[in-house]
Each structure stands twice: as structure tokens, then as C-alpha cells.
Amino acid sequence: MHGGFAATVLDSVTACAVHSMLEAGASYATVDLNVKMVKAIPKNTELMAEGKILHISKSIGVSEGNIKSADGTLLAHATATCVIRR
């Protein structure tokens, strides 16, 4: 699968992790996304994507995410930085 697929999914899960920590009315935007393709992502297979917060402050959120196969094999990993507007 094309790396753009992984980048899109990882941008979504890392940004949503930041979003989940914000109060109503706050906004955010990804300013940096670093993606590492660990293994080829096969077509037509079940995948799991997960994001988690590494750091949150008044103006910055740092998160990481991964894409794994159904058996738990790591396929891609990313770190992201989001700017927060409160």
C-alpha cells in the first residue's frame, strides 16, 4: 500500500489523540508529522491504528501513533506535534 495511506491514517490518530485532551472551543492543527514505514502494509487486510498523547501543554500537543496488522505486527509508526489554540 502507498505510504500516503499510512501518513493519512497516522495524522488522523495522532491529531485525534490531541483533540481528545482539549476543552470545548479549543482548536488544533498538525505542524509536524514524522512517519516511519516499518513493513509493507498489505492490501485487503484488517489493520488497527492507535494514537496516544506524549505531552500536552497550553499551546503544544505531542503524540504518537502506530498501525499494526491483526496479529499485532508493527507496520508504521509516527510522531506528531500539534499547535493548540485555546
Side-chain angles (χ1 to χ4, degrees):
M1 182 124 3
H2 190 278
F5 167 79
T8 300
V9 171
L10 290 166
D11 185 36
S12 294
V13 299
T14 55
C16 285
V18 171
H19 187 200
S20 72
M21 301 298 291
L22 302 180
E23 67 280 356
S27 63
Y28 64 96
T30 302
V31 294
D32 179 64
L33 180 68
N34 187 323
V35 177
K36 302 295 184 197
M37 302 297 294
V38 178
K39 289 188 157 208
I41 298 177
K43 293 181 180 179
N44 302 318
T45 60
E46 187 174 327
L47 303 172
M48 184 180 82
E50 178 181 47
K52 73 176 190 174
I53 291 293
L54 298 177
H55 171 79
I56 194 97
S57 71
K58 189 166 89 168
S59 59
I60 295 290
V62 179
S63 57
E64 70 177 355
N66 57 55
I67 299 174
K68 293 182 179 180
S69 63
D71 68 0
T73 302
L74 180 64
L75 303 174
H77 178 267
T79 56
T81 304
C82 293
V83 64
I84 298 169
R85 297 185 72 188
R86 295 181 190 266

